Amino acid sequence: MNEEFVTIARVQKTQGRIGEVFAELFTDFPELFEERHRLYVLPERGERRELELEDHWFHKGGVVLKFQGIETISDAETLLRHEVQIPKQDRAQLEDGATYVSDLVGCELFEISGKEPRKVGVVADVDFTAGEAPLLVVKGDHEYLIPYVESFVKSADFAAKRIDMVLPEGMLELDAPLSKAERERQKAEADEARNAGEEKRRNR
């Protein structure tokens, strides 16, 4: 059985003159670079290879990595756009109720209502910027943003890449994307309301 890997960073550019590279972080546990001496790099096209991490330090929201055998700027350029990975089984242990984004992405999401489950689509990404609950970005007939909260989740089988959820009535209809005309109408209404409020303040 092929070993599975997860991406914890992606190389963006060279850094310094002795083979260091700057990488964007894709992990919530950057402190574990201290313990991870053997990492894997995967190019956009080609085979994954193992490298030994000599040193690392955090810089401007990312991490600078120095690998053994990568000693010059030219060496470092060979790692550009490579994903930095670890074996899936080496991921940090999560607290109860927490889930890895990599487990969610790629899952088929079904709405459980009535007699037959309804396939909504496939989880393409997870958005953490909208509030307390992360939003599953689900691609189906439309793009849906569905809160990933315990009360909605009926079951989740990450090995089978399937999530069953019981969603509030009308959620998918409310979340369906607006047409161009509807977006323009809403923008016009918002502009009108803002202008009316400014006029009212001027007349006080």
Side-chain angles (χ1 to χ4, degrees):
M1 183 175 179
N2 292 332
E3 188 172 17
E4 293 186 70
F5 291 81
V6 293
T7 298
I8 60 173
R10 179 180 291 121
V11 177
Q12 292 187 324
K13 61 183 181 179
T14 62
Q15 181 88 19
R17 296 180 177 276
I18 57 172
E20 306 103 319
V21 294
F22 177 84
E24 178 184 7
L25 286 167
F26 293 150
T27 174
D28 289 330
F29 305 96
E31 67 277 6
L32 294 183
F33 275 101
E34 191 67 37
E35 304 171 12
R36 290 171 172 158
H37 303 297
R38 305 295 293 183
L39 296 172
Y40 295 80
V41 292
L42 179 68
E44 292 178 308
R45 295 182 180 84
E47 296 184 358
R48 181 183 293 106
R49 61 180 170 132
E50 186 177 2
L51 292 176
E52 183 171 348
L53 184 64
E54 285 186 357
D55 197 6
H56 77 282
W57 60 92
F58 300 107
H59 179 65
K60 294 185 177 180
V63 62
V64 178
L65 304 172
K66 173 64 177 73
F67 293 106
Q68 188 176 55
I70 307 297
E71 308 296 342
T72 67
I73 294 175
S74 295
D75 290 341
E77 287 175 345
T78 67
L79 297 180
L80 294 179
R81 294 176 295 280
H82 282 45
E83 295 184 19
V84 181
Q85 299 184 324
I86 59 171
K88 190 173 182 179
Q89 68 267 18
D90 291 347
R91 294 183 302 182
Q93 294 297 312
L94 299 180
E95 61 186 32
D96 291 343
T99 306
Y100 278 106
V101 170
S102 57
D103 285 338
L104 293 168
V105 172
C107 284
E108 292 185 315
L109 190 146
F110 290 83
E111 180 189 17
I112 305 302
S113 62
K115 295 182 179 179
E116 294 295 329
R118 169 193 173 189
K119 181 177 176 180
V120 179
V122 176
V123 179
D125 200 359
V126 182
D127 182 356
F128 291 93
T129 64
E132 293 185 6
L135 297 176
L136 302 181
V137 182
V138 180
K139 304 281 189 177
D141 294 336
H142 302 290
E143 179 179 289
Y144 300 98
L145 300 177
I146 300 175
Y148 189 67
V149 294
E150 187 175 358
S151 59
F152 291 175
V153 179
K154 181 177 177 64
S155 63
D157 186 341
F158 299 123
K161 303 301 286 183
R162 173 168 175 151
I163 302 170
D164 291 345
M165 300 184 77
V166 178
L167 300 176
E169 185 176 354
M171 171 175 280
L172 296 180
E173 286 69 26
L174 288 172
D175 196 49
L178 298 174
S179 67
K180 181 178 179 181
E182 289 171 328
R183 289 196 300 270
E184 290 176 348
R185 178 180 58 79
Q186 287 195 359
K187 183 178 184 301
E189 290 175 350
D191 289 344
E192 183 178 348
R194 184 175 63 253
N195 292 337
E198 291 176 353
E199 182 67 25
K200 185 176 181 180
R201 285 193 296 273
R202 285 197 296 269
N203 290 334
R204 283 179 178 175

